[in-house]
Amino acid sequence: MHHKYFYSYQALQADILDNLDAEEYTVQTSTSLLPKEIGEMKQLKSLRIISSKQMTGFPDEFKKLTQLEELSLEFGHFRELPPQVAALTNLKRLRLKYLKFSTDTINTWFLLNQLTNLEEIDITSLYVHLPNLFSVLPNLTQLKRLALSFTSNTEAQIWKQFPLLPNLEELILEYVLSNLERVPQCLWSLPKLRILNIQNNNLVDLNLPNKIKNTVLEELYLLGNKIATLPDDLAQLSKLNTLKVSTSSVESFPNVLLKFPHLEKLSISRRIEKDHFYYRLLDLERFFKYAKADQYSDKYKSVVFSVLKNKVYLKKIGKSTLLSLLECSLKTLQEEVLEELTARIKKGSFGERKPLKKGSKVVIKGKLAGRVSEIRAKLSNYEVLLGNKINATVTHVVLGSKPKEAYVLAQQYGCALLTEQLLLDEIKELEPDLLENDVVRSEEQLNNIRALLDSTDNSNIQLGLSLIQAGGIAKHFLTEIFLIYKNPKNRKGIGAKIHKQAKRLIEQHGNSTLKNVLKRRLELVSSWINEKTVEKNIRFYCDRTGLDPFILVKSLYKAQKVGVLYALHHLKRQEKIDFFTLMLQQENGKLLLRDYDLETLPNELTEINAVKILDISFNRFTSFPKQVYKFSELEELHYFRSYSTYRAIHFPKRLLQHKTLQRIYMNGGMIGLPSKEEQKRANCEIIIK
């Protein structure tokens, strides 16, 4: 679509003449009039005019636009709809945005009466007189969409005048009903209405009639209101498939939502400021699906709803309620419950703990995150029996998700309770003490495994993951495993097996927060990613999960030369030195700090030895960074200044006293630039580009 800004009448006139055959035309202008040549655009079907406050009307030639189907007027000092619009008999869509209509004029609404083919009216304005608008709507028999925003005069009695529009399919009333507490009942009587958007009105009551005449409503948007309960009468909307409602207002589990056979899209809130809260919302939406399928009791639904809304915290609920939450189909909630259960079992809240030993008998009830076959193989290696039923011969019961009545039976037979995490810990105690063995737990061995994980060869990575799985040492390598999981190369072909193996290790050994963030699609390794995005994403992952930021940035730099910005701003002093020392080794003595928006150089960088080439170009230094003088082995300096901070500054003559510096690359504009003779005496060449 054509879109330009015109400051003068002549420029706009010339552009119209150049586009007489256009079917779509968008113009932003500060002129007070449209050129009469606008009438020559005989093929025009869509016109959007974004005008300054000066424009108040159209030339008579505007009437010639008989093919126009869509007209959008935005801003401008139109006190009423220009009369020429009445001639546009083919107009189907009329959008009026931020216009200052006079509240007492009836000309605009009289003109609308003549546009009998209108299918859509979209008005965003504080100056709309609703009674006048309502009076002409019955004549617009083709109207399918009506959108009103920010309009005034919204007292309850006005809505008694709202007409029964027989063909209206979509009605948007944002910030229009803010003076009301109850939804006007007339809105539920529109026979063909499929979409109703009454967001951001502070409504407290849906005010549903006993019998809703509308039987076709498919989408209902209620965000930004204060509706504490969703009434059972809402179930009369049998075709509803999309519902958006604010969780901050709904106080108890809305059972009515389980009565909608076609509900596909449910949004409990649009607030996603906190990522933890964001996942809670996704869980809450999924829970309605499971609640419907699994037929949970009202009491149980109420408990889960309260936990997901963070009104009730897992640490404060009783043992039986905590165990009942394991029956919930929400994976993230199950993980949090299992984590809390693990902590309570360790504290002895579920009875005395018994160590797993040769001859013990274990029964697993519920679903585990890891493979039961692997656990079975490990247990058999240490002569621990694995049974199916809980009876007097069983010593330990492992609770996974959906264990049903396992806890009651475990209590009855005096069995010790375990979770999957506790079982894995017990198995480690049974294993030969590989981690104490010099061969396996030595730094050399751990570094060898790290080297395998850091390899570009898939077979080496797979071997490293297998060694970690067999040795029970995943917690030493969670950051490396996480990076393997996030690498997009490990999602297809042979890499897909590595991807699954890494995911399984994280699910078995990572905390609940780390498991949750696996679902986020914040990339770390990608061909399009930039430094600022990498910095933001590393902060997201490290701040929430406890991953090692040094290992992350070191691996990311090796793989894709990114992570420098995070290292500069967030690594600890020694980690920063170590990171840039590794950069020097990888870049053959080059310290590359180009285009990072730096205002100063970190002092830690001067402690790095063997910096041969330093590039600090295109940063935001307001003066030459003095830290450069301290790089004792520096041979080459790149110091091109950014044009956003470009200004004439004095050349730092102290650079010529540097004993090893041989070349300086820079742009011009410096005051007191050394002469060729001075450069020769200092054995330092300055190259201006």
Side-chain angles (χ1 to χ4, degrees):
M1 182 180 283
H2 190 81
H3 189 170
K4 291 182 180 179
Y5 190 93
F6 298 97
Y7 291 95
S8 72
Y9 179 91
Q10 290 77 13
L12 177 55
Q13 184 181 44
D15 193 73
I16 288 173
L17 290 171
D18 287 341
N19 291 277
L20 291 179
D21 296 331
E23 292 188 1
E24 298 181 355
Y25 192 72
T26 296
V27 58
Q28 190 170 356
T29 178
S30 58
T31 62
S32 58
L33 289 173
L34 276 178
K36 63 181 181 179
E37 286 77 8
I38 190 80
E40 301 303 317
M41 302 180 78
K42 300 294 178 61
Q43 308 301 317
L44 198 61
K45 292 185 178 180
S46 175
L47 175 61
R48 182 185 178 198
I49 300 173
I50 308 167
S51 67
S52 70
K53 297 177 181 178
Q54 297 175 4
M55 187 172 290
T56 58
F58 295 153
D60 282 343
E61 286 77 6
F62 195 84
K63 296 177 182 178
K64 296 180 182 179
L65 300 178
T66 54
Q67 299 301 312
L68 200 65
E69 295 180 359
E70 180 176 333
L71 175 62
S72 179
L73 304 181
E74 302 176 27
F75 303 96
H77 265 182
F78 296 97
R79 302 297 290 174
E80 60 186 23
L81 197 62
Q84 295 83 357
V85 174
L88 308 178
T89 53
N90 285 315
L91 199 65
K92 294 181 180 179
R93 293 175 293 281
L94 178 63
R95 299 187 178 98
L96 307 173
K97 304 284 188 179
Y98 312 108
L99 304 181
K100 294 187 177 181
F101 286 134
S102 175
T103 56
D104 57 356
T105 183
I106 62 170
N107 286 351
T108 291
W109 319 118
F110 175 74
L111 289 175
L112 284 181
N113 250 334
Q114 301 176 58
L115 300 174
T116 54
N117 286 318
L118 272 180
E119 296 178 1
E120 176 183 334
I121 298 176
D122 188 340
I123 302 175
T124 300
S125 175
L126 292 170
Y127 301 91
V128 174
H129 193 242
L130 288 180
N132 285 342
L133 174 61
F134 292 170
S135 69
V136 300
L137 288 179
N139 298 321
L140 304 178
T141 55
Q142 305 300 314
L143 196 64
K144 294 180 180 179
R145 182 178 186 270
L146 176 62
L148 302 175
S149 299
F150 298 101
T151 56
S152 55
N153 303 314
T154 56
E155 288 76 16
Q157 63 269 21
I158 291 175
W159 289 94
K160 293 178 181 178
Q161 304 174 38
F162 188 78
L164 187 68
L165 300 170
N167 293 307
L168 195 67
E169 296 180 3
E170 181 177 357
L171 179 60
I172 298 173
L173 300 172
E174 286 205 55
Y175 302 99
V176 174
L177 308 172
S178 52
N179 290 345
L180 309 181
E181 289 189 349
R182 310 177 79 196
V183 177
Q185 278 201 349
C186 58
L187 304 187
W188 305 112
S189 302
L190 298 165
K192 291 188 179 180
L193 194 68
R194 294 186 305 102
I195 301 169
L196 177 59
N197 182 341
I198 48 177
Q199 295 183 150
N200 303 310
N201 286 302
N202 291 322
L203 296 163
V204 297
D205 186 356
L206 289 179
N207 193 24
L208 292 165
N210 292 331
K211 184 170 178 58
I212 300 176
K213 294 181 181 179
N214 182 306
T215 57
V216 297
L217 194 69
E218 297 175 4
E219 299 178 24
L220 180 58
Y221 299 89
L222 302 173
L223 292 171
N225 291 299
K226 298 177 181 178
I227 299 167
T229 58
L230 296 178
D232 289 342
D233 287 338
L234 200 64
Q236 295 180 54
L237 302 172
S238 57
K239 298 286 181 71
L240 197 70
N241 60 47
T242 300
L243 174 66
K244 292 192 176 184
V245 61
S246 172
T247 189
S248 58
S249 61
V250 178
E251 291 300 321
S252 58
F253 184 88
N255 274 298
V256 65
L257 294 182
L258 305 181
K259 300 178 182 179
F260 290 103
H262 305 291
L263 197 62
E264 297 172 357
K265 298 177 184 177
L266 173 65
S267 176
I268 304 297
S269 176
R270 61 179 180 178
R271 291 174 55 202
I272 55 171
E273 293 91 348
K274 296 181 180 177
D275 296 282
H276 182 63
F277 186 52
Y278 172 71
Y279 284 116
R280 287 291 196 191
L281 296 180
L282 292 181
D283 288 343
L284 199 49
E285 292 163 22
R286 292 187 185 115
F287 181 59
F288 286 106
K289 286 185 181 179
Y290 297 128
K292 187 173 180 179
D294 298 347
Q295 298 183 333
Y296 299 134
S297 70
D298 287 346
K299 182 180 177 182
Y300 180 73
K301 286 183 291 193
S302 177
V303 170
V304 177
F305 189 78
S306 297
V307 170
L308 292 177
K309 278 197 65 177
N310 284 341
K311 288 173 65 180
V312 173
Y313 297 96
L314 291 176
K315 290 183 179 180
K316 295 184 178 180
I317 62 179
K319 288 194 291 186
S320 60
T321 306
L322 183 70
L323 290 165
S324 72
L325 291 177
L326 286 174
E327 297 300 319
C328 181
S329 300
L330 297 173
K331 189 173 180 181
T332 51
L333 182 59
Q334 290 169 358
E335 290 167 354
E336 290 181 18
V337 172
L338 285 167
E339 197 167 293
E340 175 61 21
L341 183 60
T342 300
R344 293 196 193 186
I345 292 172
K346 283 182 177 180
K347 291 177 182 177
S349 301
F350 284 85
E352 185 182 353
R353 293 189 63 188
K354 299 176 184 176
L356 200 64
K357 57 186 179 182
K358 181 179 177 180
S360 295
K361 187 173 182 179
V362 175
V363 169
I364 297 172
K365 289 295 179 181
K367 187 177 179 181
L368 304 186
R371 291 184 179 178
V372 175
S373 58
E374 291 178 2
I375 293 174
R376 188 190 297 272
K378 286 184 178 182
L379 290 174
S380 63
N381 285 340
Y382 305 114
E383 299 182 41
V384 175
L385 305 174
L386 191 63
N388 294 318
K389 293 183 178 180
I390 302 173
N391 52 40
T393 64
V394 174
T395 57
H396 296 78
V397 173
V398 181
L399 298 181
S401 59
K402 295 199 170 186
K404 302 199 180 295
E405 301 299 321
Y407 174 63
V408 176
L409 290 171
Q411 258 189 328
Q412 182 181 332
Y413 291 106
C415 307
L417 282 187
L418 292 173
T419 59
E420 181 178 6
Q421 184 59 57
L422 290 173
L423 176 62
L424 293 172
D425 291 344
E426 293 284 348
I427 290 173
K428 288 176 196 173
E429 294 295 322
L430 289 173
E431 289 172 347
D433 204 355
L434 296 174
L435 299 184
E436 295 298 331
N437 187 305
D438 288 338
V439 177
V440 176
R441 206 181 197 184
S442 67
E443 276 302 315
E444 182 184 356
Q445 182 65 24
L446 294 177
N447 287 335
N448 287 341
I449 294 175
R450 283 196 181 93
L452 289 171
L453 299 179
D454 206 25
S455 171
T456 54
D457 187 331
N458 283 338
S459 58
N460 286 342
I461 297 171
Q462 207 161 10
L463 175 60
L465 292 174
S466 299
L467 287 171
I468 289 169
Q469 181 74 52
I473 50 176
K475 289 190 177 180
H476 290 262
F477 300 101
L478 278 176
T479 305
E480 290 89 342
I481 296 169
F482 178 77
L483 277 167
I484 292 167
Y485 174 79
K486 293 299 291 183
N487 193 332
K489 292 180 181 177
N490 296 330
R491 292 175 192 170
K492 294 180 181 178
I494 299 172
K497 292 182 180 179
I498 295 171
H499 184 79
K500 288 180 182 177
Q501 197 174 358
K503 183 180 180 183
R504 193 160 60 246
L505 282 167
I506 292 172
E507 287 176 342
Q508 286 178 343
H509 301 281
N511 57 36
S512 60
T513 312
L514 180 56
K515 295 171 193 173
N516 279 342
V517 301
L518 286 183
K519 301 170 187 173
R520 293 303 300 269
R521 295 183 178 180
L522 299 179
E523 297 293 352
L524 292 172
V525 181
S526 173
S527 58
W528 55 265
I529 206 161
N530 61 42
E531 275 289 347
K532 288 187 177 179
T533 304
V534 170
E535 180 189 24
K536 177 183 171 184
N537 293 352
I538 294 175
R539 286 189 67 185
F540 172 85
Y541 288 126
C542 292
D543 290 352
R544 289 162 177 77
T545 62
L547 293 175
D548 189 325
F550 176 68
I551 294 175
L552 274 179
V553 293
K554 182 181 71 171
S555 301
L556 289 173
Y557 190 82
K558 181 181 177 183
Q560 202 165 331
K561 304 286 179 72
V562 294
V564 178
L565 208 54
Y566 183 92
L568 285 166
H569 293 157
H570 305 287
L571 286 185
K572 296 175 182 175
R573 176 183 169 279
Q574 189 56 50
E575 289 177 338
K576 199 175 290 185
I577 293 170
D578 293 344
F579 173 83
F580 286 103
T581 301
L582 289 170
M583 178 197 274
L584 280 182
Q585 293 170 1
Q586 192 168 333
E587 303 294 341
N588 298 319
K590 298 177 184 176
L591 186 56
L592 306 175
L593 302 175
R594 186 186 187 94
D595 197 15
Y596 288 124
D597 285 340
L598 298 177
E599 295 180 359
T600 59
L601 280 180
N603 290 321
E604 296 92 334
L605 298 182
T606 61
E607 299 180 38
I608 302 170
N609 296 320
V611 177
K612 303 291 185 184
I613 299 173
L614 176 64
D615 190 345
I616 54 172
S617 300
F618 305 115
N619 285 294
R620 294 184 176 273
F621 304 123
T622 54
S623 60
F624 185 77
K626 296 179 180 179
Q627 291 87 347
V628 174
Y629 304 132
K630 297 182 181 179
F631 291 103
S632 58
E633 299 179 38
L634 188 65
E635 296 177 0
E636 185 173 300
L637 173 66
H638 294 251
Y639 180 51
F640 292 94
R641 288 167 293 146
S642 170
Y643 287 104
S644 61
T645 57
Y646 193 88
R647 60 188 179 87
I649 62 172
H650 287 274
F651 178 83
K653 291 200 172 182
R654 185 177 165 189
L655 275 178
L656 294 184
Q657 300 171 17
H658 198 291
K659 294 180 180 179
T660 59
L661 191 60
Q662 298 173 15
R663 287 174 298 280
I664 303 173
Y665 292 88
M666 59 195 306
N667 41 18
M670 284 216 171
I671 300 169
L673 197 67
S675 64
K676 292 288 184 182
E677 288 294 324
E678 289 175 301
Q679 295 176 38
K680 191 173 182 181
R681 283 198 298 271
N683 197 27
C684 179
E685 182 183 7
I686 300 173
I687 300 146
I688 305 294
K689 289 189 176 182

